[in-house]
Amino acid sequence: MRRSLGDGWSVELSGSWTRETTDDGVTRWHVPGRAMRAGPGPSWRCADGADIIASLDAELPPNPTAKVGEGGRDGVGHRAAWLYHRDDGFELYGFTFVDGAYLETVFAGADTADLDWAFDAWRSVARSDDV
Protein backbone atom coordinates (compact mmCIF):
# COMPACT_ATOMS: atom_id res chain seq x y z
CA MET A 1 0.00 0.00 0.00
CA ARG A 2 1.33 3.45 -0.92
CA ARG A 3 1.69 5.68 2.15
CA SER A 4 2.18 9.42 2.29
CA LEU A 5 5.39 10.79 3.82
CA GLY A 6 4.39 14.44 3.36
CA ASP A 7 5.39 17.13 0.84
CA GLY A 8 4.36 14.90 -2.08
CA TRP A 9 6.65 12.02 -1.07
CA SER A 10 5.29 8.49 -0.66
CA VAL A 11 6.53 4.94 -0.06
CA GLU A 12 5.16 1.46 -0.67
CA LEU A 13 4.87 -0.52 2.61
CA SER A 14 3.06 -3.88 2.69
CA GLY A 15 1.13 -4.92 5.77
CA SER A 16 -0.41 -3.10 8.73
CA TRP A 17 2.07 -0.33 9.48
CA THR A 18 1.24 2.25 12.15
CA ARG A 19 2.04 5.90 11.57
CA GLU A 20 3.47 8.14 14.28
CA THR A 21 2.94 11.87 14.00
CA THR A 22 5.84 14.13 14.88
CA ASP A 23 6.30 17.88 15.09
CA ASP A 24 9.75 17.95 13.48
CA GLY A 25 8.73 17.12 9.88
CA VAL A 26 9.78 13.48 10.27
CA THR A 27 7.27 10.74 9.47
CA ARG A 28 7.62 7.42 11.31
CA TRP A 29 5.98 4.08 10.49
CA HIS A 30 6.38 0.77 12.32
CA VAL A 31 5.23 -2.84 12.56
CA PRO A 32 6.65 -5.50 14.90
CA GLY A 33 10.33 -6.04 14.03
CA ARG A 34 10.47 -3.23 11.44
CA ALA A 35 10.52 0.56 11.48
CA MET A 36 10.87 3.39 9.01
CA ARG A 37 11.37 7.13 9.34
CA ALA A 38 11.50 9.78 6.65
CA GLY A 39 12.26 13.47 6.53
CA PRO A 40 13.16 16.04 3.88
CA GLY A 41 16.77 16.99 3.32
CA PRO A 42 17.85 20.61 2.81
CA SER A 43 17.73 22.16 -0.64
CA TRP A 44 20.83 21.45 -2.74
CA ARG A 45 20.35 23.39 -5.96
CA CYS A 46 23.82 24.96 -5.77
CA ALA A 47 25.70 21.67 -5.43
CA ASP A 48 26.10 18.78 -7.81
CA GLY A 49 25.10 15.20 -7.01
CA ALA A 50 28.64 14.09 -6.20
CA ASP A 51 29.01 16.92 -3.64
CA ILE A 52 25.72 15.98 -1.98
CA ILE A 53 26.64 12.28 -1.79
CA ALA A 54 30.05 13.16 -0.29
CA SER A 55 28.46 15.41 2.33
CA LEU A 56 25.89 12.74 3.25
CA ASP A 57 28.63 10.12 3.50
CA ALA A 58 30.55 12.35 5.92
CA GLU A 59 27.49 12.79 8.18
CA LEU A 60 26.44 9.12 8.38
CA PRO A 61 27.81 6.61 10.88
CA PRO A 62 31.21 5.16 9.92
CA ASN A 63 31.89 1.66 8.57
CA PRO A 64 28.81 0.79 6.52
CA THR A 65 28.41 -2.83 5.46
CA ALA A 66 27.61 -1.65 1.91
CA LYS A 67 26.92 1.45 -0.17
CA VAL A 68 24.53 1.42 -3.12
CA GLY A 69 23.90 4.03 -5.80
CA GLU A 70 21.29 3.76 -8.54
CA GLY A 71 19.94 5.83 -11.39
CA GLY A 72 16.38 6.93 -10.93
CA ARG A 73 13.19 6.27 -12.83
CA ASP A 74 9.60 7.53 -12.81
CA GLY A 75 10.62 11.10 -11.98
CA VAL A 76 13.36 10.20 -9.47
CA GLY A 77 16.81 11.56 -10.35
CA HIS A 78 18.90 9.02 -8.46
CA ARG A 79 19.07 7.07 -5.22
CA ALA A 80 21.86 6.34 -2.74
CA ALA A 81 21.89 4.06 0.31
CA TRP A 82 24.18 2.99 3.14
CA LEU A 83 23.56 -0.36 4.89
CA TYR A 84 24.64 -1.04 8.48
CA HIS A 85 24.48 -4.40 10.26
CA ARG A 86 23.96 -3.99 14.01
CA ASP A 87 23.97 -6.49 16.88
CA ASP A 88 20.19 -6.09 17.12
CA GLY A 89 19.44 -6.00 13.36
CA PHE A 90 20.16 -3.58 10.53
CA GLU A 91 19.61 -0.02 9.32
CA LEU A 92 19.37 1.11 5.72
CA TYR A 93 19.86 4.85 5.25
CA GLY A 94 18.33 5.72 1.87
CA PHE A 95 18.24 8.98 -0.04
CA THR A 96 15.96 9.76 -2.99
CA PHE A 97 16.73 12.83 -5.12
CA VAL A 98 14.21 14.80 -7.21
CA ASP A 99 14.67 18.27 -8.78
CA GLY A 100 16.92 19.88 -6.17
CA ALA A 101 15.24 18.19 -3.21
CA TYR A 102 15.77 14.91 -1.47
CA LEU A 103 14.15 12.67 1.09
CA GLU A 104 16.13 10.82 3.74
CA THR A 105 14.66 7.49 4.80
CA VAL A 106 15.90 5.06 7.42
CA PHE A 107 14.61 1.50 7.39
CA ALA A 108 15.39 -0.69 10.40
CA GLY A 109 14.74 -4.35 11.03
CA ALA A 110 15.49 -6.96 13.64
CA ASP A 111 16.25 -9.71 11.08
CA THR A 112 19.47 -9.12 9.12
CA ALA A 113 18.54 -12.00 6.80
CA ASP A 114 15.38 -10.08 5.76
CA LEU A 115 16.73 -7.04 3.92
CA ASP A 116 14.57 -7.31 0.80
CA TRP A 117 11.63 -5.39 2.27
CA ALA A 118 13.87 -2.43 3.17
CA PHE A 119 15.51 -2.26 -0.27
CA ASP A 120 12.10 -2.66 -1.98
CA ALA A 121 10.61 0.13 0.14
CA TRP A 122 13.61 2.42 -0.49
CA ARG A 123 13.30 1.84 -4.24
CA SER A 124 9.55 2.55 -4.07
CA VAL A 125 9.96 6.09 -2.69
CA ALA A 126 8.46 8.56 -5.16
CA ARG A 127 7.40 12.17 -5.31
CA SER A 128 4.25 13.48 -6.93
CA ASP A 129 2.05 16.52 -6.57
CA ASP A 130 -0.92 14.11 -6.49
CA VAL A 131 0.10 12.38 -3.19
Side-chain angles (χ1 to χ4, degrees):
M1 169 182 243
R2 184 137 303 265
R3 300 170 196 271
S4 175
L5 300 173
D7 196 26
W9 293 100
S10 65
V11 65
E12 187 72 28
L13 296 172
S14 299
S16 299
W17 289 72
T18 301
R19 182 180 180 155
E20 295 177 26
T21 304
T22 65
D23 294 331
D24 59 2
V26 174
T27 303
R28 299 176 197 278
W29 291 88
H30 62 89
V31 295
R34 297 178 179 174
M36 188 224 138
R37 69 179 185 268
S43 177
W44 54 280
R45 291 186 189 279
C46 295
D48 67 24
D51 290 339
I52 297 301
I53 297 295
S55 69
L56 293 171
D57 193 38
E59 294 176 16
L60 290 170
N63 305 317
T65 305
K67 294 180 187 180
V68 180
E70 298 180 349
R73 63 184 181 283
D74 300 328
V76 170
H78 60 278
R79 302 176 193 278
W82 285 253
L83 174 65
Y84 298 88
H85 283 271
R86 308 280 190 222
D87 291 339
D88 60 347
F90 72 87
E91 290 181 320
L92 176 70
Y93 287 75
F95 299 86
T96 306
F97 299 86
V98 177
D99 296 330
Y102 71 90
L103 184 74
E104 177 181 356
T105 50
V106 180
F107 303 92
D111 184 358
T112 57
D114 183 23
L115 298 172
D116 289 344
W117 76 269
F119 278 100
D120 289 346
W122 166 61
R123 288 181 176 112
S124 79
V125 171
R127 187 166 184 199
S128 169
D129 293 332
D130 300 331
V131 177

